[in-house]
Amino acid sequence: MNGLKQRIRGFWMIPLAAIWMASAVWGSPEPENRAPGRIMAQQALKERVLWITADHSKHEILQQEFASGPEVTAACLTCHSEAAAQFHKTIHWTWLDPNMPADKRIGKAGISINNFCISIHGNEPRCTSCHAGYGWKDADFDFTDETKVDCLVCHDQTGAYQKFPAGAGNPVSEPKVFKGNGKEYLPPDWNTVAQSVGRPTRQNCGACHFFGGGGDGVKHGDLDSSLMKPDKTLDVHMGVDGQNFDCSRCHTTELHRIAGRTYATPAVMERKSLVEDDLASKITCESCHTDKPHKPGVKANDHTDKVACQSCHIPTFAREKPTKMWWDWSTAGNKKDGKPYAEKGPHGKASYDTKKGDFVWEKKVKPEYYWFNGSVASITAEDAIDPEGEVAINRPVGNPEDPNSRIFPFKVHRGKQPYDTVRKTLLIPHLFGKKGSDAYWANYDWKRALESGMARAGLEFSGEYDFVETSYVFPITHMVAPKENTLACAECHARTDGRLANLSGIYMPGRDISKLINTGGWALVLASLFGVLVHGFGRFFANGRKGKSS
């Protein structure tokens, strides 16, 4: 009787042993450095010793008295003789896509459109406060003048250098309060600033990129002032208690050309790791982590050819500060007691402003997902639109068959903005200007502002306008969460309400139903179970006969 009990116990141990073995292979904790991607990243980006060969405070030419930015630049060029010529060829200077035909005018300085501030034309003194130059106040700006390059906005290390928000890229020459935020701006101590210069830090980059679109976190959703000094729970790369990366650690720079952009030409054309080419750009995750970043046998390694790392490792954006998700220009112009006004809503942000209309701000936003090969297709103020539906001002380019495409996360900013009801094109309003000008903020007359804006852009306007709903996408690639906060498989592989519920072109297990695949799969499961049972019973009875013979 005892022998029979032992054989029954042994029979039931077969599946239990299989489960234990599987957990030993796939579920047991392994040292962190067993993940190849982590090993390669540690090797590629181990702590650098940044050495310098010049103390700018000792350069005699920087000890003269400066009265303006162009004077400082002229002094810089006596040593850095090629710097301005190099910078003139970059997108930071031209605000145009360098890889598109000039007549297409793609870029902020061209006739591209967005659905937050809409366009630069007529609004230069305000928009160009974030241009790395001095004096771009209208269409007559001299882009060939090397002394107009602002070296200090990227290289100042005092933290005290500031451009005036409506100064066409210039700092103030005397203390001045900007009415838009009530803040007083002071003239730079030009000598101290000039003598402080060094490699750009995230403070230099963030001064513009964290505040694009007119405020903190307005545009991107994954770029705001919380990244000035984040902890690693917000961004594992930039966290001051973690890797503490500056922007240039990933945005590789060559001859002042900084990797990373969202125009027609991808930021990188070939995915290479530093293992393959130690001079490769570091702009992609694969650059440091390779295309097999996880431990051997981990299923996520099989996803890297179709799913961007960001899709799993950035579960939400705007995690600490809100980002603007809706901007409705059609409601602008309302007044109280004959005066413009503003109202605050959730998160302490404006929900309405007479100058700009209605807003919706959100925190901890789940991205939307699209196939993306690094290229973004966009329309301009010359392209015809269909006002019957939401107009996609720009859209990710990619599809499941494209080997360079990945499922990628995006912030999608939506809103309403003016369009020409006759010509069926989006319109450029002249927004910023002094009282008595044609600017919308000067007189709250849409027709007058649209006529002025389109004329300044050199475009036609029928004189008839209305408002249309639009969308604008921003790739999400910052705010990488710690590995314990990455998405669970069920977030996407879900029958309903999964993150990829609206992504077409692929069959996704757990989300999609295929009778052929399901039938074949269950047949395989049943066949395997049958095989295990037959094998188990065979061993059971074989052991029984062996026991009797003994």
Side-chain angles (χ1 to χ4, degrees):
M1 187 65 179
N2 288 337
L4 179 61
K5 288 182 179 179
Q6 289 175 353
R7 289 194 296 274
I8 293 174
R9 190 181 297 117
F11 171 73
W12 286 110
M13 285 298 291
I14 293 172
L16 293 177
I19 294 171
W20 178 83
M21 290 172 66
S23 67
V25 174
W26 291 297
S28 61
E30 294 280 355
E32 273 193 343
N33 62 8
R34 292 293 297 277
R38 183 174 290 273
I39 295 172
M40 300 318 303
Q42 288 171 343
Q43 291 177 355
L45 295 173
K46 60 187 177 183
E47 185 177 357
R48 298 176 300 171
V49 177
L50 295 177
W51 47 271
I52 60 173
T53 59
D55 180 350
H56 285 76
S57 67
K58 296 179 180 179
H59 291 344
E60 184 177 352
I61 197 167
L62 297 181
Q63 294 173 13
Q64 63 179 294
E65 289 296 321
F66 296 109
S68 69
E71 290 181 11
V72 176
T73 299
C76 296
L77 292 175
T78 60
C79 289
H80 302 278
S81 58
E82 307 307 307
Q86 293 169 1
F87 193 70
H88 278 182
K89 298 176 182 178
T90 72
I91 199 170
H92 274 89
W93 178 253
T94 65
W95 281 10
L96 292 168
D97 185 345
N99 298 298
M100 292 295 288
D103 63 329
K104 294 292 185 183
R105 301 168 69 188
I106 301 296
K108 290 194 288 285
I111 53 173
S112 292
I113 293 281
N114 61 55
N115 64 357
F116 34 101
C117 297
I118 302 182
S119 175
I120 183 178
H121 296 289
N123 311 304
E124 288 90 348
R126 184 72 176 94
C127 298
T128 59
S129 62
C130 268
H131 182 245
Y134 298 115
W136 186 357
K137 63 180 180 179
D138 53 35
D140 294 327
F141 179 67
D142 184 1
F143 283 91
T144 67
D145 188 340
E146 292 191 348
T147 67
K148 297 297 186 184
V149 172
D150 184 352
C151 305
L152 300 176
V153 73
C154 294
H155 293 283
D156 159 62
Q157 298 304 305
T158 67
Y161 180 76
Q162 291 181 308
K163 292 169 173 276
F164 189 66
N170 291 302
V172 294
S173 56
E174 58 184 31
K176 188 176 183 179
V177 174
F178 179 57
K179 293 181 180 179
N181 58 17
K183 180 179 175 181
E184 184 181 36
Y185 289 78
L186 302 176
D189 181 337
W190 291 107
N191 292 81
T192 301
V193 172
Q195 294 171 24
S196 78
V197 296
R199 293 179 176 88
T201 66
R202 82 173 62 132
Q203 284 73 25
N204 294 111
C205 302
C208 282
H209 289 284
F210 294 166
F211 299 91
D216 192 1
V218 168
K219 282 176 61 174
H220 294 278
D222 63 338
L223 286 173
D224 59 41
S225 64
S226 67
L227 290 178
M228 286 290 191
K229 293 183 179 179
D231 57 35
K232 61 184 178 183
T233 60
L234 179 61
D235 191 295
V236 295
H237 298 114
M238 298 177 72
V240 295
D241 55 343
Q243 299 297 327
N244 199 22
F245 285 1
D246 282 328
C247 304
S248 59
R249 199 68 179 272
C250 296
H251 291 270
T252 311
T253 304
E254 180 182 354
L255 301 177
H256 285 91
R257 295 192 302 270
I258 302 172
R261 59 175 175 267
T262 53
Y263 282 110
T265 306
V268 63
M269 300 297 293
E270 187 176 6
R271 294 174 178 271
K272 271 188 177 182
S273 74
L274 296 172
V275 179
E276 302 168 87
D277 180 357
D278 61 356
L279 297 179
S281 167
K282 297 193 289 291
I283 197 64
T284 67
C285 301
E286 294 97 322
S287 301
C288 299
H289 294 284
T290 77
D291 61 354
K292 293 289 183 289
H294 301 277
K295 301 170 189 176
V298 173
K299 185 62 181 174
N301 279 335
D302 298 332
H303 283 51
T304 58
D305 63 333
K306 291 298 180 184
V307 181
C309 302
Q310 293 91 331
S311 292
C312 296
H313 288 271
I314 308 177
T316 58
F317 57 87
R319 293 207 292 276
E320 288 195 9
K321 293 183 177 292
T323 188
K324 194 174 286 185
M325 299 297 293
W326 172 262
W327 187 330
D328 186 352
W329 282 97
S330 71
T331 61
N334 295 329
K335 299 178 181 179
K336 283 186 177 181
D337 301 323
K339 296 180 180 180
Y341 73 99
E343 291 180 344
K344 284 191 175 182
H347 313 299
K349 295 289 189 176
S351 59
Y352 181 79
D353 188 319
T354 297
K355 294 170 68 175
K356 301 178 181 180
D358 282 296
F359 310 124
V360 174
W361 296 77
E362 295 181 17
K363 287 181 68 175
K364 298 180 180 177
V365 185
K366 290 183 179 181
E368 296 184 32
Y369 301 87
Y370 299 92
W371 289 101
F372 184 47
N373 64 13
S375 179
V376 175
S378 59
I379 63 174
T380 70
E382 286 186 320
D383 295 315
I385 65 167
D386 178 5
E388 296 302 315
E390 181 181 89
V391 176
I393 296 178
N394 70 348
R395 59 179 177 79
V397 176
N399 60 75
E401 287 72 41
D402 178 1
N404 292 320
S405 291
R406 304 289 188 277
I407 298 170
F408 206 95
F410 288 85
K411 169 187 168 178
V412 183
H413 181 265
R414 293 182 167 89
K416 294 182 74 173
Q417 63 195 96
Y419 81 102
D420 190 317
T421 57
V422 176
R423 301 187 71 248
K424 298 293 191 296
T425 57
L426 294 174
L427 292 171
I428 294 173
H430 176 190
L431 298 169
F432 178 83
K434 297 178 180 179
K435 287 184 178 180
S437 70
D438 293 324
Y440 181 72
W441 294 340
N443 52 59
Y444 295 103
D445 184 333
W446 272 117
K447 186 173 182 179
R448 185 175 169 184
L450 292 169
E451 287 174 343
S452 176
M454 293 297 281
R456 288 167 181 261
L459 300 171
E460 294 182 27
F461 173 42
S462 72
E464 301 296 324
Y465 72 93
D466 200 348
F467 293 84
V468 64
E469 291 193 13
T470 60
S471 65
Y472 196 96
V473 300
F474 298 94
I476 295 296
T477 195
H478 305 91
M479 298 187 179
V480 177
K483 64 177 183 178
E484 56 269 20
N485 295 334
T486 55
L487 291 185
C489 301
E491 289 267 5
C492 297
H493 295 276
R495 185 74 189 94
T496 58
D497 299 326
R499 288 185 178 235
L500 304 184
N502 297 322
L503 195 73
S504 61
I506 54 170
Y507 174 85
M508 183 180 297
R511 183 194 73 172
D512 302 322
I513 293 177
S514 167
K515 290 184 178 180
L516 179 62
I517 293 176
N518 285 351
T519 301
W522 279 113
L524 186 60
V525 169
L526 293 174
S528 300
L529 179 60
F530 179 75
V532 170
L533 291 174
V534 169
H535 178 74
F537 277 114
R539 293 290 300 273
F540 175 76
F541 287 111
N543 288 340
R545 287 196 296 272
K546 187 183 296 183
K548 288 181 180 180
S549 62
S550 62

